[in-house]
Amino acid sequence: MAVATEDFAPTIALEGARKQRGNLTQARIRWMILAVVLGFGLVGGRLVQLGMVETDQTIEGQARDLITATRPPILDRNGLEMAVDIRVPSLYAEPRRIIDVEEAVSALRSVLPDLDETWLRNRLSGDQGFVWVRRELTPAIQDAVMRLGIPGVDFITESKRFYPAMNEAAHVLGSTNVDNQGIAGIERHMDSESVALLQDLGLARGNALTPVELSVDMRVQHVMHEQLVDAMTRYQAIAAAGVMMDIHTGEVIALASVPDFNPNEPATALVKDSFNRITAGIFEPGSIFKTVTIAGALDSGSVAITDQFDARYGIRFGRYTIDDFHGKHRILTLPEVYKYSSNIGTIRIMQTLGKDNFRAFLGRMKFDERVDFELPEMRVPTVPKELSEVGAATASFGHGLSVSPLHMVTAYAAFANGGNYIAPTLYKRDIAEAEALYERVISPETSDSMRYLMRLNALEGSGSQMNKAAQGYRAGGKTGTAEKVVDGRYSSSKVTNFFASAFPLDNPRYAMVIMVDEPKAENPQSGTTAGWNAGAISGRVIQRVAPMLGVAPDFSEAIDQQIVPPVLR
Amino acid sequence: MIRNLNIFLLFASVALLAGVYALKFSIEGTASERTALIAQIDDQEGQLSLLKADWAVLNQPGHIDPIVQRHQVELAIGPVQQQQFGSFAGLPMRPVAPDTAGMDALFAAIADGIDPIDAILQMEGIE
């Protein structure tokens, strides 16, 4: 060994032993520093890498925030909840974490037996990070699934819309889909306004959202809905609808249309015929349109309330003769034309006004455009641009043009409130805000005359069925029996009946339109004209709701005398 | 001197180490407590939302009306009729002078142990 070392040792040492050791140490230190730098570099690199990773926050393409997002509660005008959010558990799975798919499938099906086996197996196998299994379950099912202890299956709390009034305000509220987006009614309108934006920003969480206050009064809405449902059986009608409006503010107090749907089960909204007849239905209004003709004529000054009109003979237009339903065949005064609902008299009034002036008045009353209203379900009315002689004659008593009941209630509101057109709304609006929106359509004096005519018709004319029930509430209105077109001809057996009213007429506050589609006579003694059904419903509704709305009955005849125009006293 | 300082620093660092660890664990404890509270609040908010929905259902006129109708006969109630409204003008005027003789008779009767209210209560079948 000693020999070998000696052989290989350098013969000449240029550096001393001390210096050699120093060099060695320095080299070691360098290696050490390199190792430390590498180590830190590794850690730093990993940190950067981790920082770059984006965790998947979406659930099947939707942000998690969007699913847990809530909608503001909807309250009626008295603060009663019409729509609230409830938190419900929804079951989801993470297929990539499921160990035994078969076991998971059989276990899940023991709690949710209606899940399809192959569908569930396909759903749970694969490499996805998130799949829904069943949404909007009950807490009891949540407990049962949790007790199964399947790995990779969990719950998320979702917000679900709940409508405590069930069917009653269905057409006002509309409904939402499973992702909590409004698909109809005021819910859809709210989305287009602001809620969707809040949800997108992820701000719509928790209970912090300000409630939305509607103008609807649930008590009145309930009475209206109940009466309409009752009408469906009482008169064997195919549909019925009603709307009530505050004539000074334009707030809609109640709006119902049957057949309707349960907004808690949005699928029921797709059932045929359950559309909103008040806004999305357009009908020939029939005789309730005579009020419009007379208001226009009186306001123009071409006709005075004391004028008389020849209703002795029907009016001929070529081959057709227009005659009266309750024909008196004598000379009628203007209040009599209204009271007896004389077609001939109304045509004469329209002719005195002039058909172009009449058409211009329809435009002023906004009968040829959509009503400015929140609900998305609206139809454009069909009113001819130019009226021929015959067209104007039929239009004067509400045939040959189609408008929605909402148009009619808005017009009646304007006639009763002193002559100001105010667009209806479903949101709360106070009188000051409304006054800023007023558009004068008729003079206050004409409005006074119209109130007198409506009250007169309730006391002596076709509104007496209504007045019998609503005794003391000074209600008045006009009936309208519009014959339906069946196979291109007007049918006398199939009719759409209307009753447009306002109350209390000494100091009017509310206007209402009730519609009954294809009613039959309630009993052999009654008829199928509007007074028997739409009128009677109006009377019963007024009787029930007037006390709720703070209208006290008053039987004194002096009140009815007061609204008679001075020239007729 | 340096040696003493080193010993002091050594002890100080051990103490700080222990302190930092204690802080770390306590914060972890607080964090898990917070998570549990959030979960509890979430759960209770969920239950609250259900209760509120229940309350809203029970308050609906559409829910109360059928109950009223079920008990209409037993409780002898019905929708308010026009004739049931009164006004201040409809109230009779106050009598000019109190009915002294009638009051005296009443007090005398009560003093004798005859309470006219008893008769009314018996008639109504309350007692």
Side-chain angles (χ1 to χ4, degrees):
Chain A
M1 278 297 278
V3 178
T5 9
E6 267 169 31
D7 282 348
F8 286 98
T11 40
I12 305 162
L14 289 176
E15 294 169 339
R18 192 181 177 130
K19 191 166 185 191
Q20 261 183 350
R21 212 180 307 132
N23 283 346
L24 193 63
T25 314
Q26 268 193 347
R28 280 177 182 160
I29 287 172
R30 268 189 220 111
W31 281 115
M32 203 58 209
I33 287 173
L34 188 70
V36 168
V37 167
L38 273 180
F40 272 103
L42 215 65
V43 171
R46 176 71 177 148
L47 276 178
V48 171
Q49 191 202 357
L50 284 178
M52 303 288 270
V53 171
E54 268 184 49
T55 42
D56 186 16
Q57 280 292 328
T58 60
I59 294 173
E60 299 196 345
Q62 278 181 310
R64 192 170 283 249
D65 282 344
L66 215 63
I67 286 190
T68 50
T70 53
R71 301 176 66 81
I74 299 178
L75 309 179
D76 84 338
R77 63 184 303 121
N78 303 315
L80 183 66
E81 287 92 348
M82 294 175 74
V84 288
D85 266 6
I86 49 175
R87 307 277 185 85
V88 287
S90 281
L91 181 64
Y92 71 93
E94 295 167 289
R96 70 166 79 119
R97 288 200 198 166
I98 294 179
I99 303 156
D100 187 343
V101 174
E102 284 309 317
E103 192 192 315
V105 168
S106 57
L108 275 179
R109 271 172 50 83
S110 69
V111 178
L112 297 162
D114 51 335
L115 285 175
D116 183 60
E117 198 176 337
T118 39
W119 174 85
L120 188 59
R121 193 174 296 123
N122 290 337
R123 199 98 176 127
L124 297 187
S125 40
D127 195 28
Q128 280 157 297
F130 187 101
V131 288
W132 286 120
V133 177
R134 176 62 68 87
R135 295 177 77 173
E136 295 175 353
L137 296 165
T138 62
I141 292 178
Q142 183 185 19
D143 276 353
V145 173
M146 290 304 239
R147 211 164 288 138
L148 294 173
I150 313 164
V153 169
D154 204 356
F155 286 89
I156 190 167
T157 309
E158 277 194 280
S159 288
K160 177 183 162 41
R161 207 56 163 161
F162 177 67
Y163 302 92
M166 310 300 165
N167 284 25
E168 275 183 3
H171 288 295
V172 173
L173 294 167
S175 82
T176 55
N177 62 12
V178 75
D179 289 325
N180 243 5
Q181 288 152 335
I183 51 171
I186 201 79
E187 293 275 24
R188 174 124 175 235
H189 180 261
M190 271 160 48
D191 275 13
S192 62
E193 289 284 283
S194 55
V195 178
L197 179 72
L198 282 180
Q199 288 185 338
D200 275 347
L201 294 174
L203 291 174
R205 261 175 296 166
N207 300 327
L209 289 173
T210 334
V212 173
E213 285 189 311
L214 296 189
S215 61
V216 172
D217 187 324
M218 270 319 284
R219 300 168 302 170
V220 181
Q221 177 75 24
H222 165 69
V223 172
M224 175 91 81
H225 184 264
E226 187 198 27
Q227 286 299 332
L228 294 175
V229 170
D230 173 60
M232 294 286 279
T233 50
R234 196 192 283 249
Y235 309 117
Q236 292 147 41
I238 59 168
V243 56
M244 186 186 283
M245 178 174 154
D246 183 314
I247 61 170
H248 295 298
T249 61
E251 291 170 296
V252 170
I253 305 293
L255 189 159
S257 168
V258 286
D260 52 12
F261 59 94
N262 184 350
N264 293 316
E265 298 158 29
T268 55
L270 302 173
V271 176
K272 191 173 153 280
D273 280 344
S274 69
F275 68 99
N276 184 351
R277 283 172 166 75
I278 296 297
T279 59
I282 56 173
F283 306 91
E284 290 191 297
S287 300
I288 56 168
F289 211 72
K290 284 174 184 157
T291 314
V292 178
T293 311
I294 292 175
L298 282 176
D299 193 56
S300 72
S302 54
V303 170
I305 197 152
T306 47
D307 284 358
Q308 296 195 326
F309 299 91
D310 183 0
R312 282 175 296 179
Y313 313 105
I315 300 179
R316 285 186 70 85
F317 289 99
R319 289 187 295 132
Y320 302 100
T321 303
I322 297 174
D323 210 342
D324 282 354
F325 186 74
H326 314 278
K328 291 283 163 204
H329 299 294
R330 61 179 169 86
I331 291 176
L332 299 172
T333 63
L334 189 141
E336 281 174 333
V337 168
Y338 194 72
K339 192 167 79 178
Y340 300 129
S341 195
S342 164
N343 295 339
I344 306 168
T346 315
I347 295 172
R348 298 256 187 252
I349 290 170
M350 187 278 299
Q351 283 169 341
T352 320
L353 169 69
K355 74 179 171 71
D356 295 327
N357 291 341
F358 174 57
R359 183 63 188 83
F361 183 67
L362 297 191
R364 191 151 29 117
M365 294 303 301
K366 299 184 200 286
F367 276 115
D368 41 20
E369 55 190 277
R370 267 176 42 164
V371 182
D372 183 16
F373 195 50
E374 285 86 11
L375 293 187
E377 300 87 7
M378 299 286 269
R379 260 184 79 186
V380 182
T382 53
V383 179
K385 283 237 160 15
E386 293 273 320
L387 290 175
S388 62
E389 283 296 329
V390 195
T394 54
S396 73
F397 57 88
H399 283 75
L401 78 176
S402 297
V403 296
S404 69
L406 191 65
H407 279 98
M408 289 315 302
V409 78
T410 314
Y412 271 72
F415 296 154
N417 74 2
N420 296 303
Y421 183 93
I422 176 76
T425 179
L426 274 173
Y427 292 117
K428 262 193 167 174
R429 178 152 75 189
D430 61 34
I431 189 81
E433 285 172 88
E435 270 167 1
L437 302 170
Y438 276 180
E439 276 173 63
R440 180 153 293 284
V441 284
I442 59 169
S443 66
E445 294 74 37
T446 314
S447 171
D448 288 345
S449 306
M450 296 319 294
R451 277 155 51 185
Y452 158 69
L453 289 177
M454 285 195 245
R455 182 66 185 141
L456 178 78
N457 193 43
L459 290 173
E460 299 169 10
S462 55
S464 51
Q465 285 290 330
M466 180 278 300
N467 199 42
K468 212 152 58 176
Q471 204 66 255
Y473 292 118
R474 291 94 71 205
K478 182 79 190 77
T479 51
T481 308
E483 295 180 353
K484 280 191 160 185
V485 178
V486 178
D487 301 329
R489 317 188 96 240
Y490 281 109
S491 150
S492 55
S493 58
K494 288 196 170 174
V495 289
T496 318
N497 286 351
F498 295 92
F499 195 87
S501 53
F503 72 95
L505 279 172
D506 53 315
N507 175 25
R509 284 171 58 193
Y510 300 99
M512 177 163 71
V513 168
I514 294 283
M515 187 204 95
V516 187
D517 204 358
E518 291 187 22
K520 315 256 182 318
E522 185 183 355
N523 52 49
Q525 287 78 45
S526 65
T528 56
T529 50
W532 291 103
N533 35 65
I537 296 170
S538 300
R540 288 195 292 266
V541 170
I542 292 172
Q543 190 206 13
R544 286 284 301 277
V545 306
M548 297 174 189
L549 297 169
V551 177
D554 193 328
F555 294 97
S556 70
E557 279 174 18
I559 281 187
D560 287 334
Q561 284 302 314
Q562 264 171 29
I563 61 173
V564 178
V567 285
L568 291 175
R569 274 183 209 164
Chain B
M1 178 64 197
I2 296 261
R3 191 163 155 265
N4 282 346
L5 189 69
N6 279 340
I7 289 169
F8 170 72
L9 285 177
L10 191 74
F11 277 104
S13 57
V14 168
L16 281 176
L17 192 73
V20 167
Y21 263 95
L23 194 65
K24 178 175 178 280
F25 285 126
S26 84
I27 286 173
E28 271 174 7
T30 314
S32 67
E33 213 173 295
R34 177 176 170 273
T35 318
L37 278 176
I38 287 175
Q40 198 196 348
I41 289 171
D42 229 39
D43 188 44
Q44 287 182 344
E45 274 182 354
Q47 289 176 16
L48 203 62
S49 77
L50 286 176
L51 287 176
K52 272 186 181 164
D54 270 351
W55 183 242
V57 169
L58 296 177
N59 267 331
Q60 287 299 323
H63 181 262
I64 296 167
D65 198 31
I67 301 172
V68 171
Q69 280 175 13
R70 262 204 313 280
H71 297 87
Q72 211 159 20
V73 182
E74 272 170 72
L75 300 175
I77 48 174
V80 64
Q81 299 298 314
Q82 285 93 323
Q83 293 75 19
Q84 290 167 309
F85 284 88
S87 66
F88 283 114
L91 290 177
M93 293 305 287
R94 195 173 65 167
V96 186
D99 185 359
T100 338
M103 293 297 274
D104 283 346
L106 177 68
F107 289 135
I110 292 172
D112 289 344
I114 307 158
D115 191 344
I117 301 293
D118 283 344
I120 298 170
L121 291 180
Q122 265 167 13
M123 207 164 71
E124 297 273 319
I126 291 170
E127 264 188 333

